[in-house]
Amino acid sequence: MKVIIICLAIIVVPIIIKAIWVGIATKHNGDFESEKADIMARRDFLIDKVMTSPQKLIDEMPAIVGPQFQGEWALYSCSMLSAALVNTTLIYDEDREANIARIDSLIQMVMSPELRAYDRERWGEDPLETLDGKESHVSYLSHLAWMIGGYKRIGGGDKYDGLYHRLCETMNRRILDSPNMNLPTYPGECVYVPDMLVAIVALTIYSQQYEGKYYSTVFQWIDEAKHQWIDKDTGMLASFLPDEREGMYGEAPIKGSYSALSCYYLTFIDEEFAQDQYVRLKTSFLQKHPITGFKEYHDRRCWLGMDIDAGPIICNLSPTGTAFAVGSVTYFEDWALRKKLLKTGELAGTTWRSGGKSHYLLADVALVGEAIMLAMRTAVEWELTTTPPD
């Protein structure tokens, strides 16, 4: 009997401690004002960790994922921190000049040869030295353009205007020259729709800033998306598309991680479409029990597994999908659900506070996840919603 009690204690006590920890760590969660101290503490942690030398940032990414993903994750860490800095500037209306300078530094990091290397290796040419060429480079170029758009959105000057014009002209030309208005992230691979959406986001923001220059491309792409690239079972935008127009879009899997990220990007482009996709995302992927979060697979259960996109799946839940979904949940002010998702994040991540800074302990393994979560939990409208022409 004594052995049984000891065994039960070993199991139950850590659960109780964790429950208490989660309760304390999330007690102020609710809206931007009540969370301000925590948001700013996480921002300061990311500023210290991400804003370093390009190679040191790459080295922060786990070596086990390989050079390509180390480069991608470093790029995402910079772009998501940049988005979070724009968001917090718009939400709290403070630290504007400091945040402009910080985004400037992040842009410089992304432009460095070290952070361009992963894309250069896959395409066999440098993305910034071949803007007059035909190869895609869509993921790298679009994130850089998005960051410059954010820099300008909060009052950055014309320092990057020449590059900004060229980046958006290049992406627009390559999109229109492609067979189906989509560009592959890498040669010989399918189109990853969330990667493609970053380009449409960048063109949207640019058009808002420059008299609607590329709206026709943006609206044409969205129209194609609504009529050609919707999954018949879920009503969600496709996760993957073939590089050519020919193909059976419905056969590609619809994934929670991709769908959640696409929903977030759509909030920059077409709020009505984003709202529709958000409702469908909750219908097909939201799970409320035993833990609230978003699933990776809408059509099958996976209580324990590993997915290349989602990471470790536990109780059906997609860590990446749940994190990305926080963006749409926040944007559409679904505060009750957001509070539950942040509790799930705390349960999985465990916040550590030290020296006025905060981060999930998981950030010590995957820094990019911390940057993503901060961008998602501060997601707000950057500009008036665009309206398609008559």
Side-chain angles (χ1 to χ4, degrees):
M1 187 67 180
K2 193 173 183 178
V3 173
I4 295 175
I5 293 173
I6 292 173
C7 290
L8 286 173
I10 291 173
I11 296 172
V12 172
V13 170
I15 294 175
I16 294 173
I17 292 172
K18 183 65 175 182
I20 294 171
W21 181 280
V22 169
I24 294 172
T26 61
K27 67 178 180 179
H28 295 299
N29 289 351
D31 57 31
F32 292 140
E33 198 55 43
S34 66
E35 295 173 15
K36 182 176 179 180
D38 186 49
I39 286 172
M40 291 307 200
R42 292 178 186 278
R43 181 203 67 173
D44 291 346
F45 168 82
L46 284 166
I47 288 170
D48 279 355
K49 295 291 286 187
V50 175
M51 294 179 61
T52 180
S53 71
Q55 190 57 55
K56 186 174 180 181
L57 177 61
I58 292 170
D59 291 341
E60 284 281 352
M61 307 301 127
I64 193 171
V65 301
Q68 176 185 309
F69 286 108
Q70 282 183 298
E72 283 187 14
W73 290 11
L75 173 72
Y76 252 82
S77 297
C78 290
S79 70
M80 288 295 171
L81 175 54
S82 175
L85 291 172
V86 175
N87 293 340
T88 55
T89 303
L90 297 176
I91 293 167
Y92 301 117
D93 194 26
E94 58 185 55
D95 295 338
R96 185 176 299 270
E97 293 304 317
N99 287 338
I100 289 171
R102 289 162 180 154
I103 296 174
D104 186 354
S105 296
L106 292 168
I107 290 170
Q108 290 293 319
M109 289 180 64
V110 169
M111 291 173 60
S112 69
E114 293 91 340
L115 257 73
R116 290 175 4 219
Y118 82 93
D119 185 85
R120 182 172 63 244
E121 178 66 25
R122 286 302 308 269
W123 285 101
E125 62 178 31
D126 188 274
L128 293 184
E129 294 175 0
T130 56
L131 293 177
D132 293 330
K134 297 181 179 180
E135 301 292 6
S136 167
H137 300 283
V138 67
S139 182
Y140 174 83
L141 297 181
S142 61
H143 278 275
L144 178 56
W146 181 31
M147 293 172 69
I148 296 173
Y151 170 81
K152 293 183 70 66
R153 174 63 185 86
I154 60 171
D158 60 3
K159 177 177 180 179
Y160 296 106
D161 280 10
L163 174 61
Y164 193 29
H165 297 325
R166 290 199 69 200
L167 289 171
C168 290
E169 186 282 327
T170 294
M171 290 190 295
N172 185 71
R173 170 172 48 81
R174 290 173 181 172
I175 289 169
L176 294 180
D177 287 346
S178 68
N180 62 353
M181 297 198 74
N182 286 291
L183 302 169
T185 301
Y186 298 117
E189 297 187 15
C190 65
V191 171
Y192 303 108
V193 173
D195 285 354
M196 188 60 219
L197 267 168
V198 187
I200 304 302
V201 167
L203 292 181
T204 300
I205 294 170
Y206 182 95
S207 298
Q208 290 168 345
Q209 295 166 342
Y210 291 100
E211 300 180 343
K213 184 168 184 178
Y214 297 122
Y215 275 158
S216 61
T217 299
V218 171
F219 297 135
Q220 186 179 347
W221 192 94
I222 288 292
D223 186 65
E224 288 287 305
K226 291 177 179 178
H227 293 94
Q228 300 292 334
W229 309 325
I230 297 295
D231 176 66
K232 66 180 185 301
D233 293 326
T234 62
M236 297 296 302
L237 183 61
S239 299
F240 312 92
L241 293 174
D243 192 11
E244 300 291 332
R245 183 172 292 276
E246 294 79 15
M248 300 183 68
Y249 305 119
E251 291 189 353
I254 299 294
K255 306 195 71 176
S257 52
Y258 282 65
S259 294
L261 183 53
S262 291
C263 277
Y264 166 70
Y265 288 139
L266 283 171
T267 63
F268 289 87
I269 306 163
D270 184 328
E271 188 171 281
E272 184 178 343
F273 188 29
Q275 176 79 63
D276 170 80
Q277 290 291 286
Y278 175 56
V279 171
R280 296 178 185 278
L281 179 72
K282 290 197 292 183
T283 298
S284 293
F285 291 97
L286 178 61
Q287 174 178 286
K288 297 182 179 180
H289 304 289
I291 304 170
T292 300
F294 284 81
K295 300 179 292 184
E296 185 66 4
Y297 316 116
H298 70 92
D299 55 354
R300 61 188 172 94
R301 292 184 179 275
C302 179
W303 291 105
L304 185 64
M306 176 63 70
D307 184 274
I308 187 65
D309 300 306
I313 297 174
I314 301 174
C315 296
N316 298 312
L317 297 185
S318 166
T320 305
T322 299
F324 284 140
V326 172
S328 298
V329 171
T330 302
Y331 183 89
F332 290 115
E333 299 181 348
D334 199 343
W335 300 114
L337 175 56
R338 181 176 176 277
K339 195 168 184 177
K340 291 178 181 178
L341 293 178
L342 291 180
K343 279 192 174 182
T344 300
E346 183 62 37
L347 185 65
T350 306
T351 294
W352 182 258
R353 297 184 174 91
S354 177
K357 300 178 180 66
S358 296
H359 69 284
Y360 292 117
L361 290 179
L362 284 178
D364 296 332
V365 178
L367 181 63
V368 65
E370 187 77 31
I372 288 169
M373 273 298 291
L374 186 62
M376 297 301 114
R377 71 182 289 187
T378 58
V380 291
E381 185 178 357
W382 283 21
E383 187 54 82
L384 294 175
T385 303
T386 54
T387 303
D390 294 332

